Amino acid sequence: MIHFESDYLEGACPEILERLVETNMDKTEGYGEDPYCESARDKIRKACKCSDAEIHFLVGGTQTNMTVIKALLKTYEGVMDAPTGHISQHEAGAIEFTGHKVFPLPSEDGKISAAEVKKFMDDFLKDGNRDHMVRPGMVYISHPTELGTLYTKKELTDLSNVCREYGIPLFMDGARLGYGLMATDTDVTLPDIAELCDIFYIGGTKVGALFGEAVVIPKPGLIENFFPMIKQMGASLAKGRILGVQFDTLFTDDLYMKISGHAIHMADKLEQGLRDKGCRFFLETPTNQKFIIMDNKKLEELGKSVVYEYVQAYDDNNTVIRFCTSWATEEKDIDLLLDLM
Amino acid sequence: MIHFESDYLEGACPEILERLVETNMDKTEGYGEDPYCESARDKIRKACKCSDAEIHFLVGGTQTNMTVIKALLKTYEGVMDAPTGHISQHEAGAIEFTGHKVFPLPSEDGKISAAEVKKFMDDFLKDGNRDHMVRPGMVYISHPTELGTLYTKKELTDLSNVCREYGIPLFMDGARLGYGLMATDTDVTLPDIAELCDIFYIGGTKVGALFGEAVVIPKPGLIENFFPMIKQMGASLAKGRILGVQFDTLFTDDLYMKISGHAIHMADKLEQGLRDKGCRFFLETPTNQKFIIMDNKKLEELGKSVVYEYVQAYDDNNTVIRFCTSWATEEKDIDLLLDLM
Amino acid sequence: MIHFESDYLEGACPEILERLVETNMDKTEGYGEDPYCESARDKIRKACKCSDAEIHFLVGGTQTNMTVIKALLKTYEGVMDAPTGHISQHEAGAIEFTGHKVFPLPSEDGKISAAEVKKFMDDFLKDGNRDHMVRPGMVYISHPTELGTLYTKKELTDLSNVCREYGIPLFMDGARLGYGLMATDTDVTLPDIAELCDIFYIGGTKVGALFGEAVVIPKPGLIENFFPMIKQMGASLAKGRILGVQFDTLFTDDLYMKISGHAIHMADKLEQGLRDKGCRFFLETPTNQKFIIMDNKKLEELGKSVVYEYVQAYDDNNTVIRFCTSWATEEKDIDLLLDLM
Amino acid sequence: MIHFESDYLEGACPEILERLVETNMDKTEGYGEDPYCESARDKIRKACKCSDAEIHFLVGGTQTNMTVIKALLKTYEGVMDAPTGHISQHEAGAIEFTGHKVFPLPSEDGKISAAEVKKFMDDFLKDGNRDHMVRPGMVYISHPTELGTLYTKKELTDLSNVCREYGIPLFMDGARLGYGLMATDTDVTLPDIAELCDIFYIGGTKVGALFGEAVVIPKPGLIENFFPMIKQMGASLAKGRILGVQFDTLFTDDLYMKISGHAIHMADKLEQGLRDKGCRFFLETPTNQKFIIMDNKKLEELGKSVVYEYVQAYDDNNTVIRFCTSWATEEKDIDLLLDLM
């Protein structure tokens, strides 16, 4: 069997394991106060061109989303996102568990627009009953989105502007950020994100690390006393250095970008190959997730050799499936998959 | 000025105040353990034809909704409702504060259908990622709905059946229940509701009481240790007898039905009068809320003499407004309003 | 049977009922925006000598405590109180339900001291692990306390100073405030409280109203957007005027003080009578609650004619019980009780 | 500098790193559904002599405590523990964040007794106000405790019996479980724990793993739908195999016991050496934590060469400090420390 069902099938890129082995018997302080975390923070700040940024390392995506959102919202506020947003769909109610409503704004492609945010805010602000309603207090986006799409710099700038106009923070879930930054035609860079977002994270779990998400607050002070909040959510890692070592490695010699670029290269090759074979795409995506429409009979056959992700029924005879590449995808598996299609 | 903006403009129906005065200096236990509450419970049980029902008196609607929903759901479950449901719109995030997601199901008229509940449950149950999703754990409906519409007995039976098929409770918000029960053509009775719903409440605040909602659990045992939960939510009234006296009065000599019937009579007269004058209705409603479409210029004029509730813009030149009648509406005000239209 | 078990046995003082009857058919806005609430606020401001105070009316004590505490604390903070504090004992976990820890400070008499608060803050601030601990973020006191004791002006000033030194708010639960203000030898006035506390409430439920607590914020701005928070907690009363009318009446012609004074007069008479009969007091209390130690056999006899509150076993042969007077206590019942002892 | 301040100073025992490297490029399912987790579960079941046990792998201790406690308690219940319990002290309010009260029972040595649990339950059950109080719904203990002490089998059996008598679960935090199981004179084995506790966890973070805690439910069915709860708390690791590989390694060839035994051997040597030098012990502890009383001047000197953990002031001239050994402690460092004392 060859595997294309997700981008977290393997462990970590070998450079990370090597570094974990090398540093293993060093004795360090816990909870992110060690020199590896410090070094990783410096390198991330440089990559973001943001020398003051406050950086925290958390373990996983849902945990990071719930911790950041709870920290940013007042108790009576909610968060706007896309209907397909991770927080709306696949976090088992983690945001609601922290006491907050998620507002899905209209969206077809996993992105939300400045115009929709503006409309939602205006509708709220002019509603005579607004004191009986949940106040929209922040915007959550993913880049790439759960549908593999990307914001343009223009779209991101517009979102940022509208958020600043209304005084609400813009939070970017970057669980797959590397695959967005290295997409062939994107015009959005890491420094752009650091300029336009109030808080975002650089995903490790899906981009070469064993686990870990690096939360970046470009302008420190956005969240007061963030560490006790992280601790209260059970989201601080005792041996924080494990996160430090991983991100320090990922941000040494551009490793994060290199391995993300590999995934994109594999994804582009896969897409071209699929197009050459006449495959129908459900959605145009410039990143490491490809969504295609398959005839059910062919799909049954394919399933004997390939593990894919089922997305949804397309119609009675066809199904939408997803193939993912990652930092770990081998070119021979792409060739094999294309042969099988 | 004449007032039609809501159904909670006045205090209580005079019978209630008289009874409060009469019983004022009696000394009773607190927290619903007094003889007035006991008597009210008996009368409600009789009205529901449900001799075992467990009955709790709470103060207000939002409080009741959040307390019941929290008590019924497991921590990882959510509640289905209509997009216009009170819990989705005008409770300032009370449900999310208790840790639960609200799922708005498709609906045009404030009601949700058995078919939509079934579809939502089936989609959830067959989703391979369901363990990463909020589990739909109950259905919340209002009768009348926030849009003044009513379920038929057939619709309610279908909803009840689908809920029982999936093992989830059906909860009816009856904040305006009297106005639903006394609607001219309804085929739904209080005993029907007690048979078809797992829990519901009989609204006092909008139907003749100073305040108060009577939660009815037709089959006791649905919620274990409900009182400590009510207390933990700050929802128990120390002098519970004030609630007991009110509901005891409302369920003596059919008062609840009589005063509700008056509101319907006034609403029917208002509707007929408006139709005679060629008014356009935004929505057909058999209860005490009438939604009409008004030309903006005429509306400005009307606003000098009448307080109405703004609902939404209809188009550039027209607006949807709501008139409410209640147990306290005087026929002369209806005549005056019709004259002004 | 004569009743001395609590101070919420009856309805409301007759002036309140009269006023509810008089104003019953007035049509007003909901949720505290009516003229009765406005008038009550003005009178309370005058009584507090605090012309800018922000005032909100809530229904009950537990509800008020949880709403105020949640509104004041950051999510990772806790509240200091006495071990006998209402929030520690008899609110069924309402504070914890809002996500916050209660820290009981050492106390023998229901009061906490500035010194204990200072010690607790200092211990926290110098603890190297403080980022792994709940941060003490406010002080909750009751005046009178649950044990019927009172702070002196000096004690209250010290508490206020220590709170301001550490930048944490001081919150007074005044569920029985009238009985404290009218205690014979107290030197604490309502304006003192408004000066020394950051937020407090004037209890209605136990002092002459059907229900209701008036939250006073002497310096507005302490809590931003308090109304949506109140609504989110299910703590706003639709017909807010019912609260307005009650507090407006209580603060007309000094009624609140007069009826409180009556309770104190009755309590003083009871205490003197009990002392004359050689009763042992468990605790010295200048307010409307008297705690005495009774021989178990005599108590059994007494229980045939008097309803009292059981407090705790004193030793194998004696029991601590409580008698309460209130605005509604009749002198003949005091005489009867003294005869029975 | 030599380090004795904690037991999580290094990475993981080398066997774990080797195995992570070996298995790194295997492709597996996420969220604990992989063969490494399955294999680890089997080995743990064998070690516990509990063939049906349900086993979940979580990342850290606070996270595990809050997830298990929330899953076990009804919304209106609280958890009993010792005043020094981790959940009472160093989890930044994580338990309260989930809505639950922590009840510290009297304890001098970090342990709680069956007698105290019984007394607390009885006091609650006979309290006339119990419906206004938080219901004690489970017992949390640590073994070893935060003070390094251990339960005897008799004590644990008594606790278990009292919990079963009252129908409440007994939960053991085993963050340092290995160091308890390998203590020289303990009579408590892993199968004993599996028999006497309703749920417990085997700590990895402090006992040889990079991170990870293995939650064992000896009788499956205690918690229904535990995975969605774990996910909702942000506590599930996407690449769950990293946890599986670690615990599989720890439970292969008795590694967990061997490395724990090493820590105990080092701790016993340290204790004997300290006794030989006339050190005063603050507390007798048979595990890997040693608490001693040091003269402040000598401590200042010692601090130049040794990192220790400050515990508390003992008196004006002396301080209580803690030394920890672990799986990673080198004998030469013990010798060095003893030389320095």
Side-chain angles (χ1 to χ4, degrees):
Chain A
M1 296 294 281
I2 52 175
H3 288 262
F4 286 93
E5 72 266 37
S6 86
D7 35 19
Y8 47 92
L9 296 167
E10 297 86 3
C13 60
E15 293 85 344
I16 282 181
L17 285 186
E18 276 163 35
R19 195 87 181 105
L20 284 175
V21 170
E22 272 170 41
T23 61
N24 189 49
M25 294 309 290
D26 290 5
K27 294 171 197 291
T28 62
E29 267 198 76
Y31 299 102
E33 298 296 308
D34 62 277
Y36 305 113
C37 283
E38 221 27 81
S39 169
R41 286 187 189 106
D42 278 345
K43 289 175 182 166
I44 289 173
R45 283 184 197 110
K46 275 185 198 119
C48 295
K49 294 193 179 158
C50 195
S51 58
D52 293 331
E54 180 184 330
I55 296 169
H56 299 264
F57 300 108
L58 277 78
V59 171
T62 295
Q63 184 187 75
T64 304
N65 288 336
M66 69 197 288
T67 304
V68 167
I69 289 170
K70 182 170 166 60
L72 283 174
L73 290 182
K74 298 199 178 89
T75 53
Y76 52 92
E77 292 179 335
V79 52
M80 292 170 271
D81 82 335
T84 49
H86 205 255
I87 58 171
S88 268
Q89 291 295 340
H90 290 126
E91 303 198 346
I95 306 307
E96 290 81 6
F97 164 57
T98 73
H100 297 286
K101 191 179 187 72
V102 182
F103 294 112
L105 301 191
S107 163
E108 292 299 311
D109 58 359
K111 301 194 282 179
I112 53 178
S113 69
E116 291 289 353
V117 171
K118 187 172 171 47
K119 181 178 180 325
F120 197 81
M121 289 304 299
D122 286 345
D123 285 352
F124 172 78
L125 291 170
K126 76 182 182 210
D127 195 312
N129 283 318
R130 67 182 171 280
D131 274 359
H132 295 237
M133 295 163 70
V134 181
R135 186 172 289 256
M138 67 183 288
V139 169
Y140 163 95
I141 57 174
S142 334
H143 183 83
T145 67
E146 287 72 17
L147 297 182
T149 51
L150 285 176
Y151 289 88
T152 64
K153 186 166 176 187
K154 170 73 167 62
E155 287 167 340
L156 204 56
T157 306
D158 288 349
L159 264 178
S160 182
N161 287 343
V162 82
C163 284
R164 285 166 194 184
E165 181 187 340
Y166 288 95
I168 58 176
L170 176 61
F171 169 38
M172 179 187 282
D173 169 340
R176 292 187 171 97
L177 190 58
Y179 304 138
L181 294 170
M182 296 306 289
T184 310
D185 294 323
T186 185
D187 61 351
V188 174
T189 66
L190 196 49
D192 290 338
I193 290 169
E195 195 189 315
L196 297 170
C197 295
D198 297 287
I199 185 165
F200 66 97
Y201 61 97
I202 300 171
T205 304
K206 291 175 176 164
V207 193
L210 291 172
F211 60 89
E213 318 292 318
V215 177
V216 182
I217 304 176
K219 295 197 182 122
L222 180 70
I223 299 172
E224 206 187 351
N225 290 317
F226 198 21
F227 182 80
M229 293 188 212
I230 293 172
K231 180 68 190 169
Q232 188 184 28
M233 309 284 280
S236 68
L237 192 68
K239 297 182 182 172
R241 69 189 287 134
I242 311 294
L243 289 161
V245 167
Q246 292 188 85
F247 277 96
D248 192 56
T249 307
L250 287 172
F251 281 84
T252 299
D253 297 337
D254 251 358
L255 181 62
Y256 191 72
M257 300 306 178
K258 282 178 198 160
I259 61 176
S260 298
H262 171 76
I264 292 299
H265 180 54
M266 292 298 98
D268 286 353
K269 174 168 176 169
L270 175 62
E271 175 165 345
Q272 191 54 52
L274 292 170
R275 286 199 190 281
D276 292 347
K277 289 179 184 287
C279 257
R280 291 161 68 197
F281 282 75
F282 178 61
L283 201 75
E284 297 299 311
T285 62
T287 59
N288 72 317
Q289 302 179 74
K290 302 295 171 191
F291 296 82
I292 62 170
I293 302 164
M294 289 272 299
D295 175 273
N296 290 352
K297 277 180 208 139
K298 287 189 191 160
L299 187 58
E300 203 184 327
E301 190 57 31
L302 186 75
K304 293 174 185 165
S305 318
V306 180
V307 190
Y308 57 83
E309 169 132 317
Y310 170 90
V311 176
Q312 63 178 78
Y314 182 75
D315 58 26
D316 285 354
N317 302 315
N318 293 279
T319 298
V320 181
I321 64 166
R322 184 186 73 167
F323 295 136
C324 279
T325 66
S326 81
W327 61 275
T329 302
E330 292 179 85
E331 190 153 9
K332 70 175 172 55
D333 284 350
I334 300 284
D335 293 335
L336 211 49
L337 173 58
L338 289 173
D339 282 352
L340 287 163
M341 294 295 289
Chain B
M1 295 294 283
I2 53 175
H3 288 262
F4 286 93
E5 72 266 37
S6 85
D7 34 20
Y8 47 91
L9 297 166
E10 297 86 2
C13 59
E15 293 85 344
I16 281 180
L17 285 186
E18 277 164 34
R19 194 86 182 105
L20 284 174
V21 171
E22 274 170 39
T23 60
N24 189 49
M25 295 308 290
D26 289 5
K27 293 172 198 292
T28 62
E29 268 199 74
Y31 299 102
E33 300 295 308
D34 62 277
Y36 305 114
C37 283
E38 220 27 81
S39 169
R41 285 186 191 108
D42 278 345
K43 288 175 183 165
I44 290 173
R45 283 185 196 109
K46 273 183 199 119
C48 295
K49 294 193 178 156
C50 194
S51 58
D52 293 330
E54 181 184 330
I55 296 168
H56 299 264
F57 299 108
L58 277 78
V59 171
T62 295
Q63 184 188 74
T64 304
N65 288 336
M66 69 198 286
T67 304
V68 167
I69 289 170
K70 183 172 165 59
L72 284 175
L73 290 181
K74 300 201 178 84
T75 53
Y76 52 92
E77 292 180 333
V79 51
M80 292 170 270
D81 83 335
T84 49
H86 205 255
I87 58 172
S88 268
Q89 292 294 340
H90 290 127
E91 304 198 346
I95 305 307
E96 289 82 5
F97 164 57
T98 72
H100 297 286
K101 191 179 186 71
V102 182
F103 294 111
L105 302 191
S107 163
E108 292 299 311
D109 57 359
K111 301 194 282 182
I112 52 177
S113 69
E116 291 289 352
V117 171
K118 186 172 172 48
K119 181 177 180 327
F120 197 81
M121 290 303 299
D122 285 344
D123 285 353
F124 172 79
L125 290 171
K126 76 182 182 210
D127 195 311
N129 284 317
R130 67 183 171 278
D131 274 358
H132 295 237
M133 296 162 70
V134 181
R135 186 173 288 256
M138 67 183 288
V139 169
Y140 163 95
I141 57 174
S142 333
H143 183 83
T145 69
E146 287 71 17
L147 297 183
T149 51
L150 284 176
Y151 289 87
T152 63
K153 186 165 174 186
K154 170 73 167 61
E155 287 167 339
L156 204 57
T157 305
D158 289 348
L159 264 176
S160 182
N161 286 343
V162 83
C163 285
R164 285 168 193 182
E165 181 187 339
Y166 288 94
I168 58 176
L170 176 61
F171 169 38
M172 179 187 282
D173 170 340
R176 293 187 171 97
L177 190 58
Y179 305 138
L181 294 171
M182 297 305 290
T184 309
D185 294 324
T186 184
D187 61 351
V188 174
T189 65
L190 195 49
D192 290 338
I193 290 168
E195 195 189 314
L196 297 171
C197 294
D198 297 287
I199 185 166
F200 66 98
Y201 62 97
I202 301 171
T205 304
K206 290 174 177 166
V207 193
L210 291 172
F211 60 90
E213 317 294 317
V215 177
V216 182
I217 304 176
K219 295 198 182 119
L222 180 71
I223 300 172
E224 206 187 350
N225 290 316
F226 197 22
F227 183 81
M229 293 188 212
I230 293 172
K231 180 69 191 167
Q232 188 183 29
M233 308 284 281
S236 68
L237 192 68
K239 296 181 182 172
R241 64 175 308 124
I242 310 294
L243 289 161
V245 167
Q246 292 189 85
F247 277 96
D248 191 56
T249 308
L250 287 172
F251 281 85
T252 299
D253 296 337
D254 250 357
L255 180 62
Y256 190 73
M257 299 307 178
K258 282 179 198 159
I259 61 176
S260 298
H262 171 77
I264 291 300
H265 181 52
M266 292 297 99
D268 285 353
K269 176 171 173 164
L270 175 62
E271 175 165 344
Q272 191 55 52
L274 292 171
R275 287 200 188 281
D276 291 348
K277 288 177 184 287
C279 258
R280 290 161 70 197
F281 282 75
F282 178 62
L283 201 75
E284 298 299 313
T285 61
T287 59
N288 72 318
Q289 303 180 74
K290 301 294 170 189
F291 296 83
I292 61 169
I293 302 163
M294 289 273 298
D295 175 273
N296 290 350
K297 278 181 206 137
K298 287 189 191 159
L299 188 58
E300 203 184 329
E301 189 57 31
L302 186 75
K304 293 174 185 165
S305 319
V306 180
V307 191
Y308 57 84
E309 168 130 317
Y310 170 90
V311 176
Q312 62 178 77
Y314 182 76
D315 57 28
D316 285 355
N317 302 316
N318 294 279
T319 298
V320 181
I321 64 166
R322 184 188 72 166
F323 295 136
C324 279
T325 66
S326 81
W327 61 275
T329 302
E330 292 179 86
E331 190 152 9
K332 70 173 172 56
D333 284 351
I334 299 284
D335 293 334
L336 210 49
L337 174 57
L338 289 173
D339 283 352
L340 287 163
M341 293 295 289
Chain C
M1 295 295 282
I2 53 175
H3 288 262
F4 286 93
E5 72 266 38
S6 85
D7 35 20
Y8 48 91
L9 296 166
E10 298 85 3
C13 59
E15 293 85 344
I16 281 181
L17 285 186
E18 277 163 34
R19 194 85 180 106
L20 284 174
V21 170
E22 273 170 41
T23 60
N24 189 49
M25 295 308 291
D26 291 4
K27 292 172 198 292
T28 62
E29 266 198 75
Y31 299 102
E33 299 295 309
D34 62 276
Y36 305 113
C37 283
E38 219 27 80
S39 170
R41 286 186 190 106
D42 277 345
K43 289 175 183 166
I44 289 173
R45 284 185 195 107
K46 274 184 197 118
C48 294
K49 295 194 178 156
C50 195
S51 57
D52 294 330
E54 180 184 329
I55 296 168
H56 299 265
F57 300 107
L58 277 79
V59 171
T62 294
Q63 183 188 75
T64 304
N65 288 336
M66 69 197 288
T67 304
V68 167
I69 289 170
K70 182 171 166 59
L72 283 173
L73 290 181
K74 300 202 178 85
T75 53
Y76 51 93
E77 293 179 333
V79 53
M80 292 171 270
D81 83 336
T84 49
H86 205 256
I87 58 171
S88 269
Q89 292 295 339
H90 291 128
E91 303 199 345
I95 306 307
E96 290 81 5
F97 164 56
T98 72
H100 297 286
K101 190 179 187 72
V102 182
F103 294 112
L105 301 191
S107 163
E108 291 300 310
D109 58 358
K111 301 194 282 180
I112 54 178
S113 69
E116 290 290 353
V117 171
K118 187 173 170 46
K119 182 178 179 327
F120 197 81
M121 289 303 299
D122 285 345
D123 284 353
F124 171 79
L125 290 171
K126 76 182 182 210
D127 195 311
N129 283 318
R130 66 183 171 280
D131 274 359
H132 295 238
M133 295 162 70
V134 181
R135 186 173 288 255
M138 67 182 289
V139 169
Y140 162 96
I141 57 174
S142 335
H143 183 84
T145 68
E146 287 72 18
L147 298 183
T149 52
L150 284 176
Y151 289 88
T152 64
K153 186 166 175 187
K154 171 71 167 62
E155 289 167 339
L156 204 55
T157 306
D158 290 349
L159 264 177
S160 182
N161 287 342
V162 82
C163 285
R164 285 165 195 185
E165 182 188 339
Y166 288 94
I168 58 176
L170 177 60
F171 168 40
M172 180 188 281
D173 169 340
R176 292 187 172 98
L177 190 58
Y179 304 138
L181 294 170
M182 296 305 289
T184 310
D185 294 324
T186 185
D187 61 352
V188 174
T189 65
L190 195 49
D192 290 338
I193 289 168
E195 195 189 315
L196 297 170
C197 294
D198 299 287
I199 184 166
F200 66 98
Y201 62 96
I202 301 170
T205 304
K206 290 174 177 165
V207 193
L210 291 172
F211 61 88
E213 317 295 317
V215 178
V216 182
I217 305 175
K219 294 196 183 122
L222 180 70
I223 299 172
E224 205 187 351
N225 289 318
F226 198 22
F227 183 80
M229 291 187 214
I230 293 172
K231 179 69 191 168
Q232 187 184 29
M233 308 284 280
S236 68
L237 193 68
K239 297 181 181 173
R241 70 190 284 135
I242 310 294
L243 289 160
V245 167
Q246 293 188 84
F247 277 96
D248 191 57
T249 308
L250 287 172
F251 281 84
T252 299
D253 296 336
D254 252 357
L255 180 63
Y256 190 72
M257 300 306 178
K258 283 179 198 160
I259 62 175
S260 299
H262 170 76
I264 292 299
H265 181 54
M266 293 296 99
D268 285 354
K269 175 168 175 166
L270 175 61
E271 175 163 347
Q272 192 52 54
L274 292 169
R275 287 200 189 283
D276 291 348
K277 290 180 182 288
C279 257
R280 292 161 68 196
F281 282 76
F282 178 62
L283 201 75
E284 298 299 311
T285 60
T287 59
N288 73 316
Q289 302 179 74
K290 302 295 171 190
F291 296 82
I292 63 170
I293 302 163
M294 289 272 298
D295 175 273
N296 290 350
K297 277 181 208 139
K298 288 189 190 158
L299 187 57
E300 203 186 329
E301 190 56 31
L302 186 75
K304 293 174 185 164
S305 318
V306 180
V307 191
Y308 57 83
E309 168 131 318
Y310 170 89
V311 176
Q312 62 180 77
Y314 182 75
D315 58 25
D316 285 354
N317 302 315
N318 294 279
T319 299
V320 181
I321 64 165
R322 185 187 71 166
F323 295 136
C324 279
T325 65
S326 80
W327 61 275
T329 302
E330 292 179 86
E331 191 154 9
K332 69 174 173 55
D333 284 350
I334 299 283
D335 294 334
L336 210 49
L337 174 58
L338 288 172
D339 282 353
L340 287 163
M341 293 295 289
Chain D
M1 296 293 284
I2 52 176
H3 288 262
F4 286 92
E5 72 267 37
S6 85
D7 35 19
Y8 47 91
L9 296 166
E10 297 85 1
C13 59
E15 293 85 345
I16 281 181
L17 286 185
E18 277 163 35
R19 193 86 180 106
L20 283 174
V21 170
E22 273 170 40
T23 60
N24 189 49
M25 295 308 291
D26 289 4
K27 293 171 197 290
T28 62
E29 268 198 74
Y31 299 102
E33 299 295 309
D34 62 277
Y36 305 113
C37 283
E38 218 29 79
S39 169
R41 286 185 190 107
D42 277 345
K43 289 175 183 167
I44 290 174
R45 282 183 197 111
K46 276 185 196 115
C48 295
K49 294 192 179 158
C50 195
S51 58
D52 293 330
E54 180 184 331
I55 297 168
H56 299 265
F57 300 107
L58 277 78
V59 171
T62 296
Q63 182 187 77
T64 304
N65 288 336
M66 68 197 289
T67 304
V68 167
I69 289 170
K70 182 171 165 60
L72 283 175
L73 290 182
K74 299 200 178 89
T75 54
Y76 52 92
E77 293 180 333
V79 52
M80 292 170 271
D81 83 336
T84 49
H86 205 255
I87 59 171
S88 269
Q89 292 295 339
H90 290 127
E91 304 199 345
I95 306 307
E96 290 82 5
F97 164 57
T98 72
H100 297 285
K101 191 179 186 72
V102 182
F103 294 111
L105 302 192
S107 163
E108 291 300 310
D109 57 359
K111 300 194 283 180
I112 53 178
S113 68
E116 290 290 352
V117 170
K118 186 172 173 47
K119 182 178 179 327
F120 197 82
M121 289 304 299
D122 285 345
D123 285 353
F124 172 79
L125 290 171
K126 76 183 182 209
D127 195 310
N129 284 317
R130 67 182 171 280
D131 274 357
H132 295 236
M133 296 163 70
V134 181
R135 185 173 289 255
M138 66 183 288
V139 169
Y140 162 95
I141 57 174
S142 334
H143 182 83
T145 69
E146 287 72 18
L147 298 181
T149 51
L150 284 176
Y151 289 88
T152 63
K153 185 166 175 187
K154 171 73 169 61
E155 289 167 339
L156 204 57
T157 305
D158 289 349
L159 264 177
S160 182
N161 287 343
V162 82
C163 285
R164 285 169 192 181
E165 182 188 338
Y166 289 95
I168 58 175
L170 176 60
F171 168 38
M172 178 187 283
D173 169 341
R176 291 186 172 98
L177 190 58
Y179 305 138
L181 294 170
M182 296 306 289
T184 309
D185 294 324
T186 185
D187 61 351
V188 174
T189 64
L190 195 49
D192 290 338
I193 290 168
E195 195 188 315
L196 297 170
C197 295
D198 297 287
I199 185 166
F200 65 97
Y201 62 96
I202 301 170
T205 304
K206 289 174 177 165
V207 193
L210 291 171
F211 61 89
E213 317 293 317
V215 178
V216 182
I217 305 176
K219 292 196 184 124
L222 181 70
I223 299 172
E224 205 187 351
N225 289 317
F226 197 21
F227 183 81
M229 293 188 211
I230 293 173
K231 179 70 191 168
Q232 188 184 30
M233 309 285 280
S236 67
L237 193 68
K239 296 180 182 172
R241 68 184 293 133
I242 311 293
L243 289 160
V245 167
Q246 293 187 86
F247 277 97
D248 191 56
T249 307
L250 287 171
F251 281 83
T252 298
D253 296 337
D254 251 357
L255 181 62
Y256 190 72
M257 300 306 177
K258 283 179 197 160
I259 61 176
S260 298
H262 170 76
I264 291 300
H265 181 54
M266 292 299 98
D268 285 353
K269 175 168 176 168
L270 175 61
E271 175 165 343
Q272 192 52 52
L274 293 170
R275 287 201 189 281
D276 291 347
K277 289 179 182 289
C279 259
R280 290 161 70 197
F281 283 74
F282 178 61
L283 201 77
E284 298 300 312
T285 61
T287 59
N288 72 318
Q289 302 179 74
K290 302 295 170 189
F291 296 82
I292 62 170
I293 302 164
M294 289 273 298
D295 175 90
N296 291 350
K297 277 180 208 139
K298 287 189 190 159
L299 188 57
E300 203 184 328
E301 190 57 30
L302 186 74
K304 293 174 186 164
S305 317
V306 180
V307 190
Y308 57 84
E309 169 132 315
Y310 170 90
V311 177
Q312 61 179 77
Y314 182 76
D315 58 26
D316 285 355
N317 302 315
N318 294 279
T319 299
V320 181
I321 64 166
R322 184 187 72 166
F323 295 136
C324 279
T325 65
S326 80
W327 60 276
T329 302
E330 292 179 85
E331 189 153 10
K332 70 175 173 54
D333 284 351
I334 299 284
D335 293 334
L336 210 50
L337 174 58
L338 288 172
D339 282 353
L340 287 162
M341 294 295 289

